[in-house]
Amino acid sequence: MKLLNEAKHLIKDNIRDYGMYIALIVIMITFTILTDGLFISSRNISNLLDSAGYIAVLAVGVMLVIVIRHIDLSIGFLAGFLGAIAAILLMQVGMPVYLVIPIILILGICAGSVTGFLVAKIGIPAFVATLAGWLIYRGAILLATEKTGTIIVNNDAFNAIGNGYIPSLTVVNGVHLLSLIIGALAIVFYIYSMFNNRRNKIKYNFEVVSKEIFILQLIFVSAIIGYITWILASYNGLSWTVIIMLLVVMVYHFITTKTVVGRHIYAVGSNPEAAHLSGINVSKITFLVFGSMGMLSALSGILFTSRLQSATTTAGTLFELDAIAAAFVGGVSAAGGVGKVTGAVIGALVMATLTNGMNLMNVGIAPQYIIRGGVLALAVIFDVFTRRQRA
């Protein structure tokens, strides 16, 4: 009984963090039942994760932008434009993949830095600056693709980024061994980081959950990681898109939780004036966040172009709205200063799960938009409610 009460209090006190995970699990179970198990099949889960990859990458970047109380509307068409540039460099210029990818990422950083300069140094509101970028990159895509309309990418190495899978050491009864090993290492890393975090909290006299609850947390999360890994390993293994998505999460989670820059980002988002008075260079942080957003937009463009194996005039349409929706569903606060990298990715998975499940059920496109809009509204209402409860 004591254990149950502690679990209830833990969920109640951390409802912002746990709510999105609970929602994702409930949605997945619901669609699994409604589709007679088709939703949870290895093939569908693999396709779902791959289709969510380019939005999840954008969601991580836009989450940080919202944390510092700004917005970026240009990221969708920037991703589409840079994806088109990648296709041109590959197919018309003849450059190798290992040169094209870093060039596109650098161009993304430059584009994001220009936006950051306009916002941080010139003082243009982010909404206006990025709306201008939205129009510019929309026109740039049309210019880049005006000759052919669609640029087909016939490059196996590049297309493998969005459609390929990591090699397997061996296949045992249809299961990819390397994917299982990576999943096992992920579980070990998770358990180690949780023990290390708990030890540090105890060392500095911070409050921690009981050993029983802590062990239950480890078992629950490890079981989920193991199950998802098994599902994917039973199909074609982990895709390169999933690997890239995981690397982005790991890098940005480390930056936001373990570095001075990460602490400064949240300080600026919580109170820009106080952050400035405490010696934090607010303009520099703004510049860095928008530069990072540009790089992630470039990576998103690479993933999308690779998945489609082509660059089109409509690439990037509504990407920014999907990413912003994913960030809010993932727990970022409209008031700034609150948000997690893992939350943004979970938000992207929630939105992708809704779309995937409704497609499997043959739900019309109009109801899909209405339902997704309702989920976004509920996420923001939830954010407002939790902030009022803590006030």
Side-chain angles (χ1 to χ4, degrees), residues 68-357:
I68 62 170
R69 304 187 181 190
H70 290 297
I71 198 67
D72 195 336
L73 302 177
S74 67
I75 55 177
F77 285 130
L78 174 59
F81 170 62
L82 291 177
I85 295 300
I88 290 171
L89 293 178
L90 285 167
M91 304 311 300
Q92 297 179 12
V93 180
M95 293 181 67
V97 174
Y98 62 84
L99 286 180
V100 170
I101 291 176
I103 287 173
I104 296 301
L105 293 177
I106 291 171
L107 288 175
I109 294 172
C110 292
S113 297
V114 170
T115 304
F117 177 79
L118 294 175
V119 175
K121 300 296 184 181
I122 306 300
I124 299 175
F127 183 91
V128 177
T130 59
L131 180 58
W134 186 95
L135 294 168
I136 291 169
Y137 299 132
R138 177 64 179 131
I141 292 176
L142 295 175
L143 286 175
T145 58
E146 66 178 351
K147 292 182 179 179
T148 59
T150 299
I151 304 172
I152 304 299
V153 180
N154 294 315
N155 186 298
D156 293 338
F158 182 81
N159 291 338
I161 297 173
N163 300 281
Y165 299 85
I166 64 172
S168 180
L169 298 176
T170 185
V171 179
V172 181
N173 295 324
V175 178
H176 287 242
L177 183 60
L178 182 58
S179 296
L180 287 181
I181 292 173
I182 292 175
L185 290 175
I187 292 173
V188 171
F189 177 76
Y190 168 74
I191 293 174
Y192 169 77
S193 62
M194 289 296 288
F195 268 106
N196 189 50
N197 186 46
R198 180 181 175 86
R199 185 169 56 249
N200 288 334
K201 284 185 176 181
I202 293 173
K203 180 180 178 181
Y204 294 104
N205 297 319
F206 286 107
E207 184 180 355
V208 295
V209 298
S210 65
K211 287 184 179 179
E212 292 80 6
I213 292 293
F214 179 68
I215 292 172
L216 284 175
Q217 284 180 322
L218 293 181
I219 293 173
F220 181 70
V221 175
S222 298
I224 291 177
I225 296 173
Y227 182 63
I228 296 297
T229 302
W230 178 263
I231 288 177
L232 296 176
S234 299
Y235 180 54
N236 284 326
L238 295 172
S239 67
W240 286 114
T241 297
V242 171
I243 295 297
I244 291 170
M245 191 164 54
L246 290 175
L247 288 174
V248 169
V249 171
M250 290 174 61
V251 170
Y252 275 82
H253 178 72
F254 176 81
I255 291 172
T256 55
T257 60
K258 303 295 183 182
T259 66
V260 174
V261 171
R263 290 193 292 272
H264 285 182
I265 288 172
Y266 286 99
V268 169
S270 298
N271 192 323
E273 292 78 15
H276 176 72
L277 292 174
S278 65
I280 297 174
N281 190 330
V282 176
S283 295
K284 180 181 177 181
I285 293 299
T286 304
F287 188 82
L288 286 174
V289 169
F290 275 101
S292 166
M293 183 72 261
M295 183 189 70
L296 292 176
S297 297
L299 181 57
S300 176
I302 290 171
L303 289 172
F304 184 75
T305 303
S306 172
R307 183 164 176 78
L308 260 62
Q309 302 182 28
S310 63
T312 67
T313 56
T314 59
T317 304
L318 298 182
F319 283 15
E320 68 281 354
L321 298 186
D322 287 336
I324 292 168
F328 277 114
V329 170
V332 71
S333 174
V338 176
K340 289 186 176 181
V341 170
T342 50
V345 174
I346 293 298
L349 291 178
V350 167
M351 301 303 284
T353 298
L354 284 171
T355 301
N356 179 272

